[in-house]
Amino acid sequence: MFMVSHMRRAILAVFLSLPLCLGVWASEADVQTADPIGGFEKRTTKITMRDGIQLHTEIYRPKHTAAALPILLWRSPYNISSVDAVPGRSIFTGPLKELAEDGYIFVFQDIRGRHKSEGEFTMLRPLAEAGGDTAVDESTDAYDTIDWLVKNVAGNNGNVGMLGVSYPAWLSVMAAVNPHPALKAISPQASPADVYIGDDFFHNGAFHLSYGFEYVTFMERGSGADVFDFGTDDTYEWYLNLGSLKNVKTNYLANYDTSWDQFAAHPNYDAFWQKRAVLGQLPKIDVANLNVGGWYDAEDGYGPFAMYHAWQKASPAGANYLVLGPWIHGGWLGEGSAVGSLAFGSDTSAYFREQILSPWFAQHLKGQQVDVPGTHVFETGSNQWHTTKTWPAENSQTRRLYFHDNGVLSFEPPVEETGAADKFISDPALPVPYRPRPIENMFSGPGWSTWQTLDQRFVDGREDVLSWVTPVLDEDVVISGQILARLYAATTGSDADWVVKLIDVYPEDHAGRPEMGGYHLMVSGEILRGRFRNGLETPEAITPDRVEEYDIDLHFRQHRFKKGHRIMVQVQSSWFPLFDRNPQKFIENIFDAEDEDFRKAEHTILRSKNFPSYVQVNVSE
């Protein structure tokens, strides 16, 4: 999942282009290496866990200081390697440059069962339910690692911090459950909060198809790190020809024991997924935390704010911090002046590392008196940072954008008593693509990491995509906080997916950047599998032709729709192959659906006074 998220294109761009995931190994023994990259001494060792398993660990200490330094620990399932793997390139002169200049002892570790570490790997290993010296999980492994480090690494000041992106971010959160006393601060960056609700593998019951399949075939076949050969430049065509999800196991993974088996065995939000969600653990955590997320994170965009919000509810006066910026997955560790066609006017990533991350760790691990605001939130549309004590701010008004006749979107509610509706045919044989074709696999191009910034006009003219748009705005409209959609809908099938997108429509004449004229920028979008309209734990068939209420959480956003722009909402019933196709016939487990179960259905979106479909936003005053 984010685990999956961890080897995705975005993480690859950050870490495979840098040395952290490359494979240069020291000997098995505890060894010292002189000056692997200027300025650090490297030590490679094995640290023994409470059950006797040894974890491969690499330690980098600055050479030219006698001062006692804090330790920064990064645990990963992705092959920590050596930071000197590529001559002339170093993580200490790239994404960790500012922290390296501040002075820390850096420690990298392969987690249990991965690469050079012993033991058995369990994806998103749940917390151990039994006590005792041999009950292990990622929390106990982090505890034992930190205990060894503070006792055996010369020149440390007794304070430890943790950070990481994606799966390593989740590992830092797990370390803070029953933490070692030396663990003072964690910075989970793009951590999944719940891989079933909104991160990595499922979104509200819909399976993250291309992500899940390509993760499994990349990471869990044979020795791993093997990009699946689709035999075509267009994975849309390949996934469509695949047919039912059951064909994956039969045709491609029959000889492998992988996470795909878990996906297929647990299509609902059962105990398997609930035990892997971190939100229930957060009230137990009393360690300073800096959550970092990106508005254009294609993998774990839900997790950072969900965790921050849970921490705030549990400990509103605690040391909880949040940074939300205009980034792809892990983009804050690279160059941050643009994503795709969007330009931000400054290097937002450098700003984060220099003005937020570096002073924040200095405050919590070195005792420096630094005033770091509680939240830093980047407002897209205006390209401005907002710093506040908490986010979202309370000075906003809840308003609803209602669907009207002739594709009109308005803050005014509908007045028609009955009958007002729009209809479309959803055909699983011709699903709506989530980005323009050809769609390459996640690991072969920039398309995956930046798809959320693409011009949505590529779906114009499709009869299975409904659009409603406001008149041209005569003043700016700033939304801040949660976005919720409510659809009153009916279908001739017994199951259906509902996709809602909130879009900023640029004016045709866009001053200074003519290539952005008329651009349709998706501000937020999400999917709900209709069978889960009353809860994710138990699927329920839809009664054909009966009006049902569907609530879709589009999550949180800070965005300015500028004067002269328009606001659009789109509704569709497929987003392929980002998500799997719904047969539109209720099947207890969609992973068991037969090819012949997929069928066309007519969907109706109501927009009358009695059934007023809308998207709800919080408009800043």
Side-chain angles (χ1 to χ4, degrees):
M1 54 211 293
F2 44 75
M3 355 179 150
V4 64
S5 88
H6 318 126
M7 269 332 295
R8 301 47 119 114
R9 175 70 198 174
I11 268 292
L12 286 175
V14 175
F15 291 118
L16 285 185
S17 63
L18 293 160
L20 193 55
C21 289
L22 299 176
V24 174
W25 302 105
S27 68
E28 296 298 318
D30 188 342
V31 299
Q32 295 277 147
T33 303
D35 200 17
I37 56 170
F40 285 89
E41 291 180 343
K42 173 187 169 185
R43 176 182 177 186
T44 302
T45 191
K46 298 283 190 180
I47 299 179
T48 303
M49 301 295 102
R50 63 190 62 186
D51 63 345
I53 293 297
Q54 293 188 322
L55 304 187
H56 175 79
T57 307
E58 297 181 355
I59 304 165
Y60 293 82
R61 194 189 192 287
K63 291 173 55 180
H64 305 298
T65 179
L69 300 175
I71 294 171
L72 280 178
L73 172 62
W74 184 303
R75 307 184 68 239
S76 174
Y78 295 124
N79 194 343
I80 60 164
S81 167
S82 298
V83 298
D84 57 339
V86 179
R89 286 193 285 174
S90 164
I91 195 171
F92 300 133
T93 57
L96 299 185
K97 174 178 178 291
E98 291 79 12
L99 293 173
E101 291 174 346
D102 288 347
Y104 291 91
I105 300 168
F106 292 91
V107 179
F108 303 97
Q109 184 180 75
D110 286 326
I111 64 172
R112 179 180 295 258
R114 296 300 291 167
H115 305 287
K116 302 295 282 188
S117 287
E118 299 173 352
E120 180 180 352
F121 172 70
T122 298
M123 182 179 70
L124 292 183
R125 183 186 295 272
L127 291 174
E129 296 180 357
D133 293 338
T134 59
V136 296
D137 53 34
E138 299 300 352
S139 176
T140 65
D141 282 355
Y143 188 105
D144 295 347
T145 297
I146 292 171
D147 192 66
W148 187 93
L149 291 172
V150 295
K151 294 175 180 177
N152 293 278
V153 175
N156 80 84
N157 72 354
N159 292 334
V160 178
M162 287 188 66
L163 74 163
V165 176
S166 199
Y167 202 120
W170 178 81
L171 292 167
S172 73
V173 176
M174 289 297 97
V177 178
N178 302 315
H180 191 283
L183 183 63
K184 304 300 184 183
I186 62 173
S187 179
Q189 301 173 10
S191 173
D194 192 312
V195 297
Y196 189 91
I197 291 179
D199 295 312
D200 293 302
F201 295 136
F202 291 82
H203 282 218
N204 298 317
F207 178 56
H208 220 176
L209 175 58
S210 57
Y211 188 71
F213 177 78
E214 291 167 52
Y215 160 76
V216 166
T217 55
F218 184 89
M219 289 287 289
E220 299 184 13
R221 291 184 306 155
S223 59
D226 182 14
V227 176
F228 184 80
D229 182 7
F230 286 95
T232 176
D233 292 332
D234 190 1
T235 63
Y236 178 99
E237 177 184 20
W238 188 93
Y239 282 111
L240 197 58
N241 292 334
L242 169 70
S244 169
L245 293 179
K246 70 186 306 181
N247 296 327
V248 169
K249 182 66 175 180
T250 302
N251 297 340
Y252 300 103
L253 296 174
N255 298 322
Y256 300 99
D257 180 14
T258 71
S259 298
W260 187 272
D261 300 322
Q262 298 167 346
F263 301 154
H266 303 280
N268 308 327
Y269 191 54
D270 59 13
F272 177 86
W273 298 113
Q274 293 171 18
K275 288 195 295 186
R276 284 161 172 76
V278 303
L279 295 180
Q281 306 300 328
L282 301 186
K284 308 173 188 176
I285 295 176
D286 188 22
V287 174
N289 56 86
L290 175 66
N291 281 279
V292 182
W295 292 133
Y296 306 113
D297 189 335
E299 297 154 34
D300 297 304
Y302 167 76
F305 181 79
M307 290 197 301
Y308 167 79
H309 185 62
W311 260 313
Q312 281 296 106
K313 290 177 64 177
S315 181
N320 310 312
Y321 298 79
L322 175 69
V323 181
L324 296 172
W327 304 308
I328 63 172
H329 193 67
W332 46 91
L333 297 185
E335 205 277 335
S337 61
V339 172
S341 298
L342 304 183
F344 308 125
S346 64
D347 187 344
T348 61
S349 299
Y351 172 83
F352 160 71
R353 298 192 304 270
E354 295 169 2
Q355 304 300 320
I356 305 172
L357 184 65
S358 178
W360 188 83
F361 270 124
Q363 174 184 351
H364 292 284
L365 299 182
K366 296 187 174 187
Q368 295 183 10
Q369 298 302 309
V370 183
D371 183 18
V372 179
T375 69
H376 290 74
V377 177
F378 188 87
E379 182 178 279
T380 53
S382 65
N383 294 340
Q384 295 179 343
W385 285 99
H386 292 258
T387 58
T388 55
K389 183 178 180 181
T390 61
W391 188 84
E394 297 180 355
N395 61 335
S396 62
Q397 177 185 3
T398 299
R399 300 189 67 185
R400 292 173 177 175
L401 288 156
Y402 293 96
F403 307 170
H404 288 268
D405 194 15
N406 296 319
V408 172
L409 187 69
S410 171
F411 285 114
E412 297 299 323
V415 296
E416 298 92 338
E417 293 291 340
T418 59
D422 292 299
K423 302 175 184 289
F424 66 98
I425 301 295
S426 174
D427 185 355
L430 295 170
V432 181
Y434 77 98
R435 55 184 165 110
R437 299 173 61 186
I439 300 174
E440 79 276 7
N441 70 59
M442 292 195 309
F443 302 104
S444 66
W448 165 251
S449 60
T450 62
W451 76 263
Q452 294 185 23
T453 68
L454 294 176
D455 190 341
Q456 295 296 306
R457 283 180 292 185
F458 74 93
V459 299
D460 279 359
R462 287 191 63 116
E463 295 183 353
D464 53 359
V465 178
L466 299 180
S467 298
W468 297 266
V469 64
T470 66
V472 173
L473 300 175
D474 56 12
E475 62 180 4
D476 289 2
V477 174
V478 180
I479 61 171
S480 179
Q482 192 169 27
I483 305 170
L484 297 171
R486 172 165 293 177
L487 301 182
Y488 292 96
T491 176
T492 58
S494 53
D495 198 4
D497 288 348
W498 305 106
V499 177
V500 179
K501 298 183 289 187
L502 180 65
I503 294 170
D504 186 345
V505 179
Y506 285 44
E508 292 295 336
D509 182 15
H510 191 273
R513 295 195 65 194
E515 71 276 13
M516 297 298 291
Y519 206 89
H520 288 188
L521 174 66
M522 185 175 70
V523 174
S524 187
E526 192 53 282
I527 189 171
L528 170 69
R529 182 139 289 172
R531 61 177 51 209
F532 296 114
R533 63 199 179 280
N534 294 318
L536 296 174
E537 293 86 356
T538 305
E540 299 176 17
I542 298 172
T543 301
D545 298 317
R546 185 170 75 184
V547 177
E548 298 266 14
E549 182 180 297
Y550 300 92
D551 290 327
I552 306 168
D553 185 355
L554 301 185
H555 310 310
F556 290 77
R557 198 58 196 266
Q558 179 84 29
H559 182 79
R560 181 178 294 267
F561 296 91
K562 287 189 172 183
K563 177 181 178 180
H565 289 225
R566 293 181 293 163
I567 304 173
M568 175 183 283
V569 171
Q570 286 184 340
V571 173
Q572 58 200 55
S573 283
S574 52
W575 226 3
F576 188 77
L578 182 68
F579 295 99
D580 66 316
R581 299 173 301 148
N582 192 319
Q584 304 188 141
K585 169 189 174 183
F586 183 81
I587 306 294
E588 192 69 31
N589 183 346
I590 287 180
F591 286 83
D592 293 332
E594 302 290 346
D595 291 337
E596 56 267 25
D597 290 325
F598 291 78
R599 56 194 58 184
K600 293 182 183 179
E602 183 180 66
H603 297 334
T604 302
I605 306 297
L606 289 86
R607 45 175 177 74
S608 65
K609 181 178 181 180
N610 294 331
F611 298 109
S613 297
Y614 60 81
V615 170
Q616 178 175 294
V617 295
N618 293 297
V619 178
S620 295
E621 299 176 351

